[in-house]
Amino acid sequence: MKTQASVGQAGLGKEDLLAAAGVYVEYTRAEGDYLYMRDEDDEEVPVLDMVGGFGASLLGHYHPEITAVQQDCIAHRRPFLAQGSCRQRSLDLKEALADYLHRHTGTDFSVALYSTGTEAVEAALKHARYAFGQRVGALADACNANVRELLTRLERGEVRIEAAFLHDCERLLGQEPLEGLDDLLAAVAAANRQAFNAQPVIAAFPRAFHGKTMGSLAHTWNRDARLPFIRNHGAAVFIESPQDFLEEVERRSLAYFRFEFAPLRLVRCTMPTLAAVIYEPLRGEGGVLELGAADKTLLRELRARHPQVALIADEIQCGLGRTGHAVESLACELPADYLTFAKSLGGGLAKISALAVRKDLYYAEFSMLHSSTFAEDDMSSMIAKRSLEIIERDDLAGRSAQLGQTLLGELRALQKRWPRVIADVRGRGCMLGIELQDYADHPSAVLSSLAQQQMLGMLAAGYLLHRHRVRVLPSLGRRRVLRLQPSAYLGSAEVGRVCEALDQLCAVLDAGDAATLLRHLSGPGEADADADARAAAAWADAAASQAGAAAATNACERVGFIAHLVDTESMRAWDPAVAALSDDQLGELRGHMQRALEPQRVARRRVRSALGHEVELLLYAILMDAEAIEQDMRFNKSGQIRAQVHHAYRQAREDGCSLVGFGGYTSIVTANCTDFDHDHPAVTTGNALTVATSMSALRDAARASNIRLASAHVAVVGAAGNIGQTHAALLARECGSLLLLGRPGSLGRLRAAATAVAAELREALRSPWGVVDTADHQAGEGELMVRVRRAWGGESPPDAESLAAWLLDEGLIRLGDAVELCRLADIVVSASNSAHAVLDAACFATDRPVLVCDVAVPGDVDAASLAVHDNVRVIRGGIVNLPMAPDFGLPGMRLAPGKVYACAGETLLLGLAGVRRDFSKAAITTAQVREIGALARLHGFELVQKQ
């Protein structure tokens, strides 16, 4: 069974992730240092390529000499599939690469050819394990021969088994008693058998990347890539403490026993189970990181102490001159028994890799044990041989070194100019990295979100591509690092262009200008010149708020609240930095980003009640608006939004929240929180306080509008839902008659709502005549309730279904599925869950005062259509005043200071009251509405809005 859908990048395919950042574009042509794509006008546009095929295009795209080799191979129909034959061109390449290495290292190597870098790494790891097995096998044979020699010497009388000797063997073997020779030989054989069955271990360094096949992946540091496939791999270890690793090698050594004869004694010998250490002299995917001094010392110490341990230099990305050196491991003065190459070896056109093993360590039979179907073909071999010739003829190592010095100088000047943007610049030659500062706590909610979820580097790459036509990409294992891996032929004009583009990027990030950074995702539109000023002011406020939260260190109850964007305007409120974008642009931006970003904590606020109690609320935001959620509900069975909500709930639990509230659709898609059966944290939908506040606001506004509630005809839009039904049940005791409205096809559910209303009225028959106990006052009963009491007050009332039938027959309750029926109503309560307005001026009477209480978020009423209708008054329901926190506000909620939606208000209120149990979960009841209303009055919450 498929588990809960993944959230954020974990649930995206490669194409979706690239599209989310705006770098999923098609390139139609390539040449030199440029790729070409089509713009919006279908014109071909050159893009300066600083990705360089992740290091493969040291010679640039379509180097003319490499292209000539390829074309010659095709013209002469050079064999591609000729396995099991003499393949002279591959032999020529092996000889050329071995000669290259001998000239630069002074060491003789045997070379094997493969198709990809990860294949070369797999071959290196397998050869090291094979060599370990051969060593162990040789030791086992030697120990067996040693036992035979002992028996021969005993037979000749040259040695004797005496008691003292057996006692020494007992202590050494940790086994007693040994009664004689047979016991001794059996104990030695058992100990040696256990030792020689030990599994070899291969070690790698943190931040390493060695490939994505299973063997190479086991030694790749990136947990996101490794853990879904390989966990607790006993044969793969990472050297996290170089100082302690040599001791670990000794602890992991296997112990075996052999006899010496002059004099006779049993000797304990050891051999490391460490078969190899694999390292990258310069780690590209790890963020263009060099090995540290302690790492280098460790490798040299291993060579000195354990020369049989194979040292594998993975130069697939950094080798063959890219870093300014012919052999990078040699330039770093690091020992290497094996070398792996790929990428640059193919000249930008061929898929080819190579493993070079010191000739004195290579096992010739290994070529039969590990082979590759598509390796050793003529074309890739001839291209690679020509690539080697060009690398040496044009001194690409020297060119790379000089180019690297120039670029590093320019980049370090940028770092000095923009210290708040660039944390570090590092690397060598044509393999450089620019590490951005950590923006996780930036006042811009957008930039903070991107940084927390490791997307800022990818979005920076999108900005550079679309704004400056410069192509870079971040490192896989350290995504704040932008890699520059151009060809060795990059010109001075291109260097200037790259640095100018990076300077502009730094200016954008330093200003926190999220709108400019993300404009390539939002479509065409005019920029707002005042956006920077507004953003700066908003960040100042946010920074002050953060400082205030940090200053309040006293512990208090902590609750969480999960909310989603209401609409595009709420996105501006969430982060004023994007205020310069139009509604359409924000919609485009949200569409790109919503699947790539996980929900996250975007605000924390403290509130003190009238009783002196204090609570801290943590707000978790989901970057989906009502329209996107409605589409997900319709076409994806709420899969995306539910996964986001569950993820946010887990975050709240990890943050120590005792209660989690749900706002808007987050409760709807989890069936009013019934998805959550956990003991901790407790959950609440906020629906009870939503109803309590809207009822209070409605009563107050009716009095102010001279509408007599007791005789009013009240329509409830969305009455089939829990909030609408609860409103109807409460209003049935206070109004003149009810009209229950739902969507087309909802009449069956509306009849069930009418039955629920009838059940509430049956309960009300037990209350004193003429009094309604509401959440904020006592009022007289409405005409509907008076009619019920007259008909059934003196005798046992019928069951709820029969009472509902009577109410419908009498016309006290009517059902409908057309919102136009609201024209019959004096008061309308609207609580649908639609993403768009469902009521406009045509839905209301024009000949008398009409009061509309809009409870929905986003609102159900098209306010603009009512501009010419003086008789219709619209009030917002479900909003709470916090007089004890007059400056309170949550980003994206678009409410005046001191106000909060009742769903969040209920979360605050329950936290202040110390309620650690599920509250308004599943269907709410009128009793819960009254209970939460009483708690609100107790803690100083105001349920009636100042209209």
Side-chain angles (χ1 to χ4, degrees), residues 695 699 709-710 729-735 760-761 764 767-786 789 926 930:
M695 287 295 296
R699 297 184 190 105
L709 179 57
L730 291 167
L731 284 164
R733 299 180 63 178
E734 304 180 47
C735 71
E760 176 71 16
L761 295 176
S767 301
W769 177 268
V771 175
V772 179
D773 182 14
T774 69
D776 60 339
H777 72 296
Q778 289 187 333
E781 290 181 333
E783 293 176 2
L784 190 157
M785 186 65 211
V786 170
R789 198 176 292 280
T926 56
R930 296 184 182 98

Side-chain angles (χ1 to χ4, degrees), residues 9 61 151 207 229 325 368 375 379 440 489 542 605 648 711 738 754 791 813:
Q9 299 170 55
H61 296 284
L151 295 175
R207 301 288 176 190
F229 307 101
H325 305 112
M368 290 294 293
M379 184 184 295
Y489 298 106
R605 302 286 188 269
S711 59
L738 273 176
I813 295 180

Side-chain angles (χ1 to χ4, degrees), residues 257-306:
F257 299 88
R258 62 185 304 276
F259 296 99
E260 292 185 354
F261 302 107
L264 178 64
R265 63 191 184 113
L266 183 67
V267 178
R268 182 180 184 274
C269 306
T270 61
M271 171 186 163
T273 57
L274 182 67
V277 174
I278 184 168
Y279 68 92
E280 296 168 279
L282 188 60
R283 288 162 287 181
E285 301 299 343
V288 193
L289 292 172
E290 284 196 63
L291 290 175
D295 299 327
K296 295 178 179 179
T297 299
L298 169 64
L299 291 171
R300 297 174 189 131
E301 283 287 317
L302 274 172
R303 167 48 42 85
R305 293 194 197 183
H306 303 291

Side-chain angles (χ1 to χ4, degrees), residues 565-633:
L565 297 174
V566 177
D567 51 25
T568 52
E569 190 60 36
S570 65
M571 195 167 180
R572 292 189 179 94
W574 180 51
D575 190 345
V578 298
L581 301 178
S582 68
D583 286 357
D584 288 343
Q585 288 176 315
L586 285 174
E588 286 282 334
L589 177 60
R590 176 193 52 74
H592 273 90
M593 300 304 300
Q594 65 185 21
R595 291 189 61 202
L597 293 182
E598 301 171 357
Q600 63 201 287
R601 188 179 68 238
V602 297
R604 54 197 312 163
R605 302 286 188 269
R606 289 199 174 204
V607 170
R608 186 179 294 273
S609 80
L611 299 180
H613 300 170
E614 191 173 31
V615 67
E616 182 179 41
L617 182 139
L618 276 56
L619 174 64
Y620 300 89
I622 294 172
L623 194 65
M624 294 178 71
D625 65 16
E627 183 175 0
I629 295 171
E630 192 173 68
Q631 290 177 353
D632 185 51
M633 293 168 67

Side-chain angles (χ1 to χ4, degrees), residues 821-890:
L821 292 172
C822 289
R823 284 195 291 263
L824 304 174
D826 305 300
I827 296 175
V828 177
V829 177
S830 193
S832 83
N833 60 1
S834 173
H836 305 282
V838 296
L839 300 173
D840 58 20
C843 297
F844 306 115
T846 58
D847 59 345
R848 62 186 185 278
V850 177
L851 174 65
V852 182
C853 181
D854 192 350
V855 185
V857 179
D860 279 343
V861 180
D862 180 5
S865 71
L866 299 174
V868 297
H869 291 264
D870 296 337
N871 66 306
V872 181
R873 179 185 180 190
V874 180
I875 63 170
R876 294 294 303 275
I879 298 175
V880 182
N881 287 329
L882 302 175
M884 74 299 290
D887 298 323
F888 184 91
L890 291 174

Side-chain angles (χ1 to χ4, degrees), residues 28-157:
T28 56
R29 190 163 65 88
E31 186 174 2
D33 285 297
Y34 285 90
L35 292 166
Y36 294 82
M37 69 179 190
R38 298 280 178 181
D39 63 12
E40 297 82 0
D41 300 321
D42 201 35
E43 296 290 331
E44 190 176 65
V45 177
V47 174
L48 180 58
D49 182 22
M50 300 298 288
V51 176
F54 296 129
S57 62
L58 182 65
L59 279 64
H61 296 284
Y62 287 101
H63 188 287
E65 294 181 55
I66 300 299
T67 305
V69 172
Q70 185 182 50
Q71 291 172 340
D72 183 71
C73 287
I74 295 172
H76 289 86
R77 302 294 190 265
R78 297 301 313 177
F80 177 65
L81 300 174
Q83 300 92 333
S85 67
C86 175
R87 310 185 83 172
Q88 187 59 45
R89 299 303 181 273
S90 71
L91 295 176
D92 293 344
L93 172 60
K94 292 177 185 180
E95 182 180 346
L97 184 55
D99 180 64
Y100 174 93
L101 293 174
H102 179 79
R103 283 185 285 106
H104 290 290
T105 69
T107 302
D108 291 328
F109 286 89
S110 294
V111 175
L113 300 179
Y114 305 101
S115 299
T116 63
T118 192
E119 277 189 89
V121 170
E122 289 282 347
L125 299 175
K126 286 175 69 175
H127 189 282
R129 290 174 68 90
Y130 182 76
F132 176 87
Q134 294 300 104
R135 291 196 299 274
V136 169
L139 283 178
D141 291 344
C143 286
N144 290 335
N146 179 251
V147 169
R148 290 196 297 271
E149 183 178 356
L150 171 65
L151 295 175
T152 299
R153 287 175 180 264
L154 285 170
E155 202 173 295
R156 293 175 181 170

Side-chain angles (χ1 to χ4, degrees), residues 624 626-642 665 668-669 743 833:
M624 294 178 71
E627 183 175 0
I629 295 171
E630 192 173 68
Q631 290 177 353
D632 185 51
M633 293 168 67
R634 184 178 304 167
F635 300 114
N636 193 32
K637 298 182 179 178
S638 304
Q640 184 180 349
I641 180 62
R642 284 185 70 247
Y665 281 89
I668 294 170
V669 298
R743 295 180 179 180
N833 60 1

